[in-house]
Amino acid sequence: MAPPSADGLKVIILGGGIAGLTTALALTKFAPPGKVPQIDIYEIRPEPAVIGGAVNLTPNALRMLDYLGCLQIMKDRDYGKTIDYLEVFDVYSGKLAESSFRGPEGKGVGDPPYKALRITRGDALKAVLAAVDAQENITMTCGKRTVRIDEQPDNVTIHFDDGESATAELLMGCDGIHSVVRLKHVEPERKATYSGVANAFGFAPIEKDFKVHFECTAINFARRGMLLTSYYNTKMDSVYVGGLMQVPDVGSRDGWKSVGADADKTRQSLLDRFGDAKIPCIVPLIEKAEDFFLWPVYTLTKYGKWSTDRVMLLGDAAHAMPPQGESTGIVFEDTVLFSRCLTRWIEKGRPGPNLREPFEAYEALRKKRIEVAFDESKNVVSTVSDAGWFGHTLKTYIVPWFLWFTHGYREKHFREDVTTSDIKY
């Protein structure tokens, strides 16, 4: 356990999801000896949200989770399913390509080696929560809605709708794409916009003799979207079914909630799009899937403001983009690299009247990588958008070539260890 220190920073984190929790762990893990921060996390929901689809944690993401003390909890609780490689299919003609996490010796990528892990968002969050609960310097309070943020030269105060307030030296906005910290303080004019695609997902229980066309996880392209089918537990008694597809905007978040609540309508939409698949298990998996949700994919503009003098945005609050295979890992990278920059500033004696110096060091280190990820995410939107016969056929030729061409880039990124890499500060 890491007890708080009187010499450590007082930090407020707004957002009790994966981004906020891993930020708290990273700030604790990288704190200089004797300067462990006192961290208070505030979450708007009455309890942490453990619902959601299944995410793929790539080797670099697992490396960071291991360093933060979360991966061993996942292993001890038997959360998730190890993914050796991802298979890519055309639902009309069969297998197109593979993307491997096995590395040169079959043990994984990097040193030490890691493969990938498909895990539900709920299980991932529960593991991170368990790691946070073991830290004496971190507290979490749920059911707190922020209505105002006041920043002064030497502190920042958040005011809640119940009349209470909290003050710290540093405020971290880890509260997602509709971030209150961004919209009420850092950059109010930078609002989320609908990307044009939505994710419809559910979980299909299967019998032992049910035959699927993949070993671990598969991306299945069709003319009107992409269907992800994957195991997500070691029992392999259920398959995550998630369709990323072009869906007209319904105009409001409440409207999306209403549409998304109609599970039968969501299922029928997937059947309309993938019902003509030649792969035998596709239709039965959609039919078997339970608790379907429709999740609109919102995005922010590529460029934007991430910080003020004492407030920093991390994760989707700063740079939400359509999913491009590494979204969760990018958030973990944010938390680790920011924490390392902040620690370096503390080691230098906390020079300056505010936190501009470590903030600028982090942004100089991070923004170029995020801009590349934004460009990659645009390809995802175009790839899953509706296409005619010719456009889809062209896609089946381009996707394998693209995976081959970018293999070296992905492998290099999977090997990267941001816990020790040069932060140039």
Side-chain angles (χ1 to χ4, degrees):
M1 294 187 183
S5 167
D7 296 327
L9 278 176
K10 185 167 177 54
V11 181
I12 291 173
I13 296 176
L14 212 56
I18 286 285
L21 296 173
T22 52
T23 296
L25 289 173
L27 289 172
T28 302
K29 181 75 174 181
F30 289 99
K35 298 182 183 296
V36 176
Q38 174 61 54
I39 302 172
D40 296 314
I41 304 172
Y42 294 98
E43 165 61 37
I44 190 172
R45 298 179 180 89
E47 59 185 24
V50 293
I51 62 169
V55 296
N56 190 42
L57 300 178
T58 50
N60 53 316
L62 295 181
R63 185 173 295 109
M64 286 178 281
L65 285 175
D66 201 0
Y67 190 81
L68 296 178
C70 306
L71 184 57
Q72 190 59 50
I73 296 173
M74 293 176 180
K75 291 178 179 178
D76 292 344
R77 297 186 179 186
D78 197 24
Y79 288 161
K81 172 74 172 70
T82 297
I83 305 299
D84 285 358
Y85 63 101
L86 183 152
E87 298 174 83
V88 182
F89 293 84
D90 169 28
V91 300
Y92 314 114
S93 63
K95 190 167 179 175
L96 300 175
E98 290 181 6
S99 181
S100 178
F101 305 107
R102 289 171 290 199
E105 299 179 5
K107 297 178 181 179
V109 180
D111 184 21
Y114 295 84
K115 293 183 179 178
L117 186 76
R118 178 72 63 179
I119 185 172
T120 66
R121 287 185 179 275
D123 282 350
L125 186 68
K126 284 185 281 188
V128 177
L129 273 169
V132 166
D133 288 342
Q135 305 300 322
E136 293 180 1
N137 64 307
I138 304 173
T139 66
M140 182 169 174
T141 307
C142 293
K144 303 291 279 189
R145 181 184 294 274
T146 301
V147 294
R148 193 172 86 251
I149 298 171
D150 290 330
E151 183 174 345
Q152 302 298 328
D154 57 353
N155 61 47
V156 58
T157 301
I158 55 175
H159 301 268
F160 304 110
D161 64 353
D162 59 7
E164 295 185 349
S165 64
T167 300
E169 296 167 88
L170 166 64
L171 170 61
M172 305 295 303
C174 303
D175 48 344
I177 188 164
H178 303 293
S179 168
V180 170
V181 180
R182 188 186 71 249
L183 293 172
K184 289 189 178 294
H185 187 68
V186 175
E187 193 176 15
E189 63 275 15
R190 190 172 178 229
K191 296 177 171 60
T193 57
Y194 176 52
S195 66
V197 299
N199 183 26
F201 65 88
F203 299 88
I206 58 172
E207 306 78 22
K208 287 185 178 179
D209 59 351
F210 186 86
K211 302 296 183 184
V212 299
H213 62 298
F214 55 90
E215 182 175 329
C216 301
T217 188
I219 290 177
N220 309 282
F221 286 107
R223 282 187 285 271
R224 298 179 61 209
M226 180 273 285
L227 190 73
L228 176 67
T229 52
S230 180
Y231 292 118
Y232 61 92
N233 64 24
T234 55
K235 295 178 181 177
M236 296 169 61
D237 58 359
S238 182
V239 172
Y240 171 71
V241 180
L244 199 60
M245 54 197 184
Q246 191 174 351
V247 178
D249 192 0
V250 301
S252 69
R253 291 172 69 184
D254 288 339
W256 279 110
K257 288 178 183 178
S258 176
V259 172
D262 192 339
D264 289 337
K265 187 174 181 180
T266 299
R267 185 192 317 279
Q268 188 56 53
S269 179
L270 285 177
L271 289 171
D272 290 344
R273 292 169 181 272
F274 302 99
D276 58 349
K278 304 302 182 186
I279 297 172
C281 71
I282 293 290
V283 170
L285 283 174
I286 295 172
E287 292 174 340
K288 287 173 177 285
E290 300 171 348
D291 302 323
F292 260 117
F293 289 90
L294 185 65
W295 199 272
V297 177
Y298 283 90
T299 185
L300 295 174
T301 53
K302 182 177 179 180
Y303 305 104
K305 185 178 179 182
W306 290 5
S307 64
T308 60
D309 286 348
R310 289 191 173 270
V311 181
M312 171 61 74
L313 303 174
L314 288 188
D316 283 353
H319 50 65
M321 63 190 83
Q324 34 64 280
E326 294 183 53
S327 302
T328 308
I330 285 174
V331 171
F332 297 157
E333 286 179 358
D334 279 4
T335 66
V336 168
L337 290 171
F338 174 78
S339 297
R340 291 185 61 203
C341 289
L342 186 66
T343 291
R344 180 71 187 111
W345 176 74
I346 294 170
E347 290 171 340
K348 291 173 67 174
R350 297 170 63 167
N354 52 47
L355 289 102
R356 285 313 313 164
E357 183 176 310
F359 285 5
E360 289 171 1
Y362 167 71
E363 292 182 27
L365 180 69
R366 198 71 184 129
K367 284 201 168 183
K368 195 169 293 184
R369 165 75 179 113
I370 295 303
E371 288 166 11
V372 171
F374 258 102
D375 292 338
E376 292 171 350
S377 71
K378 289 180 182 179
N379 295 330
V380 173
V381 173
S382 60
T383 302
V384 304
S385 296
D386 293 356
W389 176 86
F390 177 76
H392 177 73
T393 302
L394 189 62
K395 187 192 309 179
T396 63
Y397 286 103
I398 291 175
V399 167
W401 174 85
F402 177 78
L403 288 174
W404 172 82
F405 183 74
T406 58
H407 171 75
Y409 165 77
R410 291 196 310 278
E411 186 105 344
K412 180 182 177 182
H413 189 55
F414 291 159
R415 289 178 178 277
E416 186 179 6
D417 186 353
V418 297
T419 67
T420 58
S421 59
D422 183 9
I423 59 172
K424 306 183 190 306
Y425 171 44

